[in-house]
Amino acid sequence: MATPENKQLALQEKDLGNAAYKKKDFETALQHYRTALTHDPTDITFHNNIAAVYFEQREFKKCIEECEKAVEVGRENRADYKLIAKAFTRSGNAYRKLEDYKSAKTYFEKSLSEHRTPEVKSLLSDTEKMIKEMERLAYIDPTKAEEEKEKGNEYFKQGDYSTAVKHYSEAIKRNPDDAKLYSNRAACYTKLAAFDLGLKDCETCCRLDEAFIKGWIRKGKILQVMQKSSEALTAYQKALEIDPNNAEALEGYRACTMAVHADPKEVWKKAMNDPEVQQILKDPAMRVILEQMQNDPKAVQEHLKNPQVASKIQKLLESGIIQIY
């Protein structure tokens, strides 16, 4: 045990070390912290301070070694668990700098077992995400993805859609940026009537490759089955922007156009998503005109003589929100 006088000398050296540390004079800080330890080798704080200097100097392995000494001294002298947790946290941070995320995770967990703080919980969570992402990236292999896709294609042809899904899912893990794989799996989900999953895959497919027409067509077909005609219409429109002569897209577009105009709710929903329609309906003058047209259908002829009003009425007619008989 250090004498009271030695403890006092140690604290004085620590204060000098802290002053140098704040000025980023790390070598001087290190000298004072080491001198503090000679006066009082039982205080974990000095080891923690030395570890902090090594961390700032990017001497991460030395930092970890010093943290281990800090924990050992702390255990032997029944130090405050918060100080032991601090040493474990600094080890975790040093391992992160060394990109050894699994070791970092271990030390953050050790820190939390001593003292739980939101900061360390956040560090652990971030580290676990890094580990997961590294494992995901390490798993990517386009060649194996192609092999799994071919297996999926064979099972799809045989009508074994559940097994095909497994192979397409494995292919996606091996090459998650290949849009066509999501389209293939969406086709399986459609056969299995898992339309929500199929739609999600179509959305991923279209996001990854906006020019892949099959993704838009498949999305349109799923939305049709889900009786979301206005959304399906938008998907087919996207497909037709890529290829205006695509037979499947044209057929789907025509079918959805008829369905949308046959369902007043769908008509209204699609129309209200159009900013131009919204603006027209907010116009007080147009609201008066529409009310007149409702009460007296013949009034429309008079209003159509005004070019500005006529263009607005035409827009509402095209959207299906009004009809003139």
Side-chain angles (χ1 to χ4, degrees):
M1 283 290 290
T3 65
E5 292 80 8
N6 282 342
K7 283 181 179 289
Q8 187 61 38
L9 288 170
L11 290 174
Q12 288 173 4
E13 289 293 333
K14 185 191 81 166
D15 290 340
L16 290 169
N18 289 350
Y21 184 90
K22 287 175 183 176
K23 294 176 183 176
K24 297 190 183 298
D25 183 356
F26 298 124
E27 283 303 324
T28 302
L30 207 53
Q31 289 171 16
H32 286 298
Y33 293 143
R34 283 173 177 158
T35 303
L37 267 178
T38 63
H39 291 304
D40 184 3
T42 66
D43 194 330
I44 183 177
T45 303
F46 308 141
H47 286 288
N48 276 342
N49 290 349
I50 291 170
V53 171
Y54 284 143
F55 190 90
E56 290 297 329
Q57 291 179 322
R58 303 189 68 79
E59 296 277 2
F60 300 119
K61 288 183 179 178
K62 285 185 179 180
C63 172
I64 291 164
E65 288 171 7
E66 199 64 38
C67 287
E68 287 173 356
K69 290 177 188 175
V71 171
E72 187 180 338
V73 168
R75 296 272 193 234
E76 288 174 358
N77 295 278
R78 297 183 180 180
D80 187 334
Y81 56 84
K82 291 179 184 177
L83 294 173
I84 293 173
K86 190 173 185 178
F88 282 137
T89 300
R90 187 165 281 124
S91 287
N93 282 326
Y95 276 117
R96 284 219 325 181
K97 291 290 186 181
L98 293 169
E99 296 185 1
D100 182 351
Y101 298 113
K102 289 187 177 178
S103 293
K105 176 177 181 287
T106 298
Y107 278 87
F108 289 140
E109 287 171 340
K110 286 182 178 182
S111 177
L112 289 171
S113 71
E114 297 291 332
H115 178 55
R116 299 188 71 81
T117 67
E119 179 196 356
V120 179
K121 283 175 71 177
S122 179
L123 285 169
L124 176 60
S125 177
D126 288 345
T127 303
E128 286 172 337
K129 287 175 186 174
M130 287 178 186
I131 292 169
K132 192 173 180 181
E133 179 62 11
M134 286 178 68
E135 289 173 348
R136 185 187 75 82
L137 292 172
Y139 200 69
I140 291 173
D141 186 332
T143 302
K144 289 183 179 178
E146 191 63 26
E147 291 171 5
E148 290 295 330
K149 186 186 85 169
E150 291 304 319
K151 290 177 184 177
N153 291 348
E154 285 302 314
Y155 281 106
F156 187 89
K157 289 173 187 174
Q158 294 169 23
D160 187 348
Y161 304 118
S162 295
T163 304
V165 163
K166 291 177 184 176
H167 287 290
Y168 288 139
S169 296
E170 180 62 20
I172 286 168
K173 288 179 185 176
R174 292 290 188 180
N175 193 4
D177 294 329
D178 187 341
K180 295 179 179 66
L181 296 175
Y182 295 93
S183 177
N184 289 1
R185 191 169 67 175
C188 291
Y189 283 139
T190 303
K191 294 289 186 181
L192 293 167
F195 301 117
D196 287 346
L197 293 174
L199 180 59
K200 186 178 178 182
D201 271 355
C202 286
E203 286 170 348
T204 303
C205 170
C206 295
R207 177 173 52 79
L208 288 172
D209 186 355
E210 291 184 1
F212 183 50
I213 193 169
K214 192 176 282 187
W216 293 109
I217 292 172
R218 190 153 276 148
K219 182 179 179 180
K221 287 184 176 180
I222 290 174
L223 287 165
Q224 271 186 282
V225 174
M226 295 173 77
Q227 297 185 341
K228 296 182 177 181
S229 300
S230 64
E231 292 177 42
L233 191 62
T234 301
Y236 287 127
Q237 283 173 332
K238 287 282 188 181
L240 290 169
E241 286 173 14
I242 299 165
D243 180 4
N245 299 313
N246 185 281
E248 279 187 286
L250 284 167
E251 183 184 346
Y253 181 82
R254 291 184 188 118
C256 287
T257 301
M258 290 176 65
V260 164
H261 286 88
D263 184 346
K265 288 182 181 178
E266 286 289 342
V267 171
W268 184 263
K269 183 179 176 183
K270 180 171 172 54
M272 292 311 294
N273 283 330
D274 186 330
E276 191 179 345
V277 170
Q278 292 177 26
Q279 200 62 39
I280 292 169
L281 293 177
K282 286 178 182 176
D283 183 345
M286 279 303 299
R287 290 170 70 175
V288 170
I289 290 169
L290 292 172
E291 191 176 337
Q292 288 177 351
M293 287 169 57
Q294 189 175 11
N295 295 329
D296 180 10
K298 291 179 183 179
V300 71
Q301 299 301 326
E302 191 64 32
H303 291 302
L304 288 173
K305 292 176 184 177
N306 182 325
Q308 289 185 335
V309 173
S311 68
K312 291 179 180 179
I313 290 174
Q314 183 62 35
K315 176 65 181 178
L316 296 179
L317 284 168
E318 289 172 0
S319 71
I321 208 164
I322 64 169
Q323 295 179 349
I324 299 173
Y325 297 99

